[in-house]
Amino acid sequence: MVLYIVYNNIIWACIIAALVGAAAATLVFLLKGKKNGGEEKEFSSKNPLVTGIRNNAESFAGLYEAIYSVSIGKVGRKKEAFENWAKAVADTGDKELLEAFNKKFGKYTKWKAKKNKKFKKAAKKLVKACFKAGVVRSSELYIVGDDTTAEKYHLAGDGIISADENYEVLAPFWQFGDIVLEKGVIK
C-alpha cells in the first residue's frame, strides 16, 4: 500500500513537472517570438518602409527631429508631424514606400490629438525605421568647433562658428552617409 502511494505521487510529480516545463517553454517561445519576430522583422533592411526611407532620405529633410520629438513625447503638433511625413512620402513618387507608410501609419488622421500614446508609439516605429535605413541623429551635448561644424550646425544668436571654441548643442543634426539632412543648433 505504501509503495502504491509513493508510486502514484511520483507519477503525479512527473506529470506536474512536465506541465510546468511545457508552460515555461511555451512562454519563452512566445516572448522571444514577439521580441525577435515582431519589431525586428518588421524593420528588416528589406522592409519597403526602410528601403523607401533609405532611397529618399533627403526628401524628409526637416522632418526627422519633429517626428523624433513626437516619439519622446516632446511636441504638441503630433498630427502635423505625421501629415508632413505623409505628404513627403507621397511626393517621393515611391509607390512601395507610400503603400508601406499608409499600411503602418495611414490611420493617424483618425487619431485624436489628445491620444498621445498612439502618436508616440507610431513615431517611435517611424524613427526606428529611419535609424534602420541608415539615418543618424547626432548625440553630442557639447562640441568643439572645427572645419565641419558650420556644415552640421547653425549658431543660435549672432556671430560665426569658430574653430577650437566650445559650444553647447541645443538641437542635434541628422545625417545620412556624408549628407547632412538637418542642421542642428549650437550656442
Side-chain angles (χ1 to χ4, degrees):
M1 179 73 163
V2 172
L3 194 56
Y4 177 75
I5 294 172
V6 170
Y7 181 72
N8 274 341
N9 285 338
I10 290 173
I11 291 174
W12 279 110
C14 289
I15 291 171
I16 291 171
L19 290 173
V20 168
T26 303
L27 184 62
V28 167
F29 176 77
L30 290 174
L31 290 176
K32 272 192 170 186
K34 185 174 183 181
K35 181 180 176 185
N36 294 331
E39 288 293 311
E40 288 182 24
K41 265 189 186 175
E42 178 178 56
F43 293 118
S44 72
S45 59
K46 294 181 181 178
N47 177 290
L49 183 63
V50 173
T51 304
I53 292 170
R54 184 182 309 116
N55 293 340
N56 299 284
E58 292 180 71
S59 299
F60 310 112
L63 305 178
Y64 293 106
E65 189 62 23
I67 205 68
Y68 180 83
S69 294
V70 172
S71 78
I72 59 172
K74 279 193 171 182
V75 71
R77 296 181 177 176
K78 300 172 281 288
K79 200 170 201 171
E80 184 180 325
F82 275 96
E83 287 171 351
N84 291 338
W85 266 88
K87 182 180 181 333
V89 165
D91 288 348
T92 66
D94 184 331
K95 291 180 182 179
E96 286 184 16
L97 172 59
L98 181 60
E99 185 178 312
F101 183 87
N102 285 338
K103 182 178 179 183
K104 197 82 176 138
F105 309 111
K107 295 180 181 178
Y108 75 88
T109 56
K110 296 176 184 166
W111 300 341
K112 296 187 185 204
K114 293 180 182 179
K115 298 278 184 183
N116 192 41
K117 286 183 183 178
K118 281 190 175 187
F119 282 103
K120 187 175 178 179
K121 186 176 179 181
K124 280 184 180 186
K125 288 182 178 186
L126 183 51
V127 168
K128 187 179 269 189
C130 292
F131 290 156
K132 188 72 176 181
V135 177
V136 177
R137 182 180 188 263
S138 67
S139 59
E140 298 88 6
L141 300 176
Y142 298 93
I143 62 164
V144 177
D146 63 21
D147 295 340
T148 64
T149 304
E151 296 169 10
K152 298 175 183 175
Y153 293 98
H154 295 289
L155 183 63
D158 295 332
I160 59 170
I161 297 172
S162 303
D164 300 324
E165 191 166 326
N166 293 323
Y167 295 98
E168 179 183 0
V169 177
L170 302 177
F173 68 90
W174 287 76
Q175 188 170 354
F176 179 73
D178 293 335
I179 302 165
V180 175
L181 300 169
E182 291 181 22
K183 284 188 171 188
V185 180
I186 57 175
K187 73 171 187 171

